[in-house]
Amino acid sequence: MAASSQADTAILSVALLNQQIEAARSELALLRGQLVQLRSDIADAPGEALRAANELLARARSDAKLVEVVATEAHGRRVSFLATVAHELRNPLMPLRLAAVMLDRARTDEAAHARLQATITGQVAQMTRLIGDLLEGSRISTGNFRLERTVIDLNAVLDRAIETSQPGMDARKHRFERSPRSGPVMVLGDAVRLVQVFGNLLENASKYTLEGGAISLRVGMRGHAVVVTITDNGIGISEKALPHVFDMFVRDQHATEVNEGGLGIGLAVVRELIKAHEGSVGATSAGKSQGSEFVVMLPVAAVSRTA
Ligand code: ADP
């Protein structure tokens, strides 16, 4: 059965399941209508109509079974999604609690104090991004989000995104390289949302790159667009998952082995936010262990084109 074989794949999303439930429900409604019609036909031509009614009944039964299987699967995925959310939100609490205890002892030790401060900043940034993704994800799925766009320098956005991702990269001893800084690159953007976009991409690069790996961020121009390329030499993305990674709740099977936590909503949020900025985002990877590259294109603000 198509639904159960899909359910076996790691990239089946709750959204997809919901679509299948809806499709099966409307099929059932159609069959119900046909059954009502057949009932009245039975009175006129009992033999033929009875056979047709039996066939329809059998189809309706198997469709009802399908709805049940898919609904159970969707429910299971919702429950496990909530469990992952709770787990991901609880994760930073332990280091924060420890840091709070140790801060008192580190009053006289400047280096220890700075380390603790970096831990707190890093964990808070991670939580902020996660909560931001959850909020943004729900706003996007209800069509209820609005950008606050002003003319801003993309370099400042990238500075902020790097700053929030740096603790994660440092913890995994990643070599991070940024292309030499050009002059200001003005875009008409929502600074908070763009920090979230590039923070998500950098955090993913770090999450899915083994200790000691390399991550780079390059900024270039293509016509009237600025192109930001984030590359890592990490675990890569399988051919099967690559076309789906920007869909809600999608996670590559081998990514879940490297990093259990993860909600599969970060890239969906990235895609929607970039689309709302009239830009584009794409991913490439030669496959498992071959690293990944994410390319974001954003139109340069008209004001800086004429300047
Ligand atoms: P999450 O990281 O929480 O699972 P995302 O939506 O950010 O959710 O990413 C979706 C999936 O895309 C990840 O689970 C992973 O399989 C894949 N992915 C994203 N970025 C990378 C990367 N830099 N390297 C390898 N896989 C990636």
Side-chain angles (χ1 to χ4, degrees):
M1 193 187 298
S4 65
S5 73
Q6 278 173 331
D8 290 341
T9 72
I11 57 168
L12 188 64
S13 70
V14 171
L16 195 61
L17 286 165
N18 283 339
Q19 275 172 18
Q20 288 176 328
I21 292 177
E22 275 316 305
R25 275 202 186 120
S26 27
E27 169 84 351
L28 266 180
L30 202 75
L31 286 170
R32 263 191 212 113
Q34 288 175 345
L35 272 173
V36 171
Q37 176 62 41
L38 267 167
R39 258 192 215 121
S40 74
D41 290 352
I42 285 171
D44 308 330
E48 191 49 39
L50 215 59
R51 221 180 356 265
N54 274 338
E55 260 172 41
L56 271 179
L57 258 178
R59 265 175 58 199
R61 277 204 192 103
S62 97
D63 274 25
K65 191 97 199 127
L66 180 64
V67 171
E68 196 187 316
V69 169
V70 173
T72 310
E73 176 79 16
H75 177 69
R77 281 180 182 260
R78 272 193 205 109
V79 171
S80 89
F81 174 70
L82 281 178
T84 315
V85 170
H87 184 79
E88 289 289 290
L89 284 174
R90 200 183 52 186
N91 269 348
L93 292 181
M94 182 58 87
L96 283 174
R97 197 174 299 139
L98 271 177
V101 173
M102 288 162 78
L103 262 181
D104 198 35
R105 285 185 228 147
R107 260 176 226 260
T108 51
D109 182 344
E110 244 176 67
H113 197 271
R115 269 199 309 278
L116 289 171
Q117 212 166 23
T119 304
I120 294 169
T121 314
Q123 298 298 332
V124 168
Q126 193 183 327
M127 278 184 103
T128 308
R129 191 145 47 229
L130 184 65
I131 294 167
D133 280 350
L134 284 168
L135 286 173
E136 219 60 274
S138 73
R139 282 193 202 114
I140 287 165
S141 51
T142 54
N144 204 5
F145 87 110
R146 210 165 50 87
L147 295 181
E148 307 275 339
R149 295 172 81 178
T150 51
V151 177
I152 47 170
D153 182 3
L154 191 67
N155 284 317
V157 165
L158 295 174
D159 287 344
R160 183 86 195 94
I162 293 168
E163 203 179 292
T164 63
S165 315
Q166 195 75 55
M169 295 196 269
D170 290 346
R172 295 181 194 95
K173 301 188 173 56
H174 290 144
R175 273 172 290 121
F176 176 68
E177 199 190 330
R178 178 184 182 164
S179 62
R181 225 186 148 104
S182 61
V185 180
M186 306 313 281
V187 296
L188 185 60
D190 182 323
V192 174
R193 259 66 174 261
L194 288 179
V195 168
Q196 193 174 351
V197 163
F198 293 105
N200 273 350
L201 294 176
L202 284 169
E203 200 201 345
N204 276 350
S206 166
K207 242 171 37 179
Y208 300 115
T209 297
L210 303 182
E211 197 168 307
I215 298 169
S216 73
L217 182 148
R218 298 192 306 277
V219 182
M221 298 300 294
R222 198 176 300 160
H224 290 317
V226 51
V227 184
V228 181
T229 309
I230 293 172
T231 312
D232 65 63
N233 65 353
I235 64 165
I237 304 172
S238 70
E239 200 184 322
K240 193 163 136 198
L242 193 59
H244 306 284
V245 286
F246 289 98
D247 294 343
M248 200 70 109
F249 306 121
V250 168
R251 303 201 71 212
D252 197 356
Q253 175 71 48
H254 80 292
T256 58
E257 287 153 18
V258 174
N259 189 304
E260 269 179 53
L263 305 172
I265 56 175
L267 287 184
V269 167
V270 165
R271 180 178 59 184
E272 292 308 312
L273 290 180
I274 290 297
K275 207 155 71 178
H277 281 85
E278 290 112 34
S280 66
V281 56
T284 49
S285 171
K288 282 189 192 179
S289 312
Q290 302 296 311
S292 310
E293 188 163 277
F294 287 80
V295 180
V296 176
M297 283 183 45
L298 284 169
V300 170
V303 58
S304 65
R305 274 188 234 153
T306 51

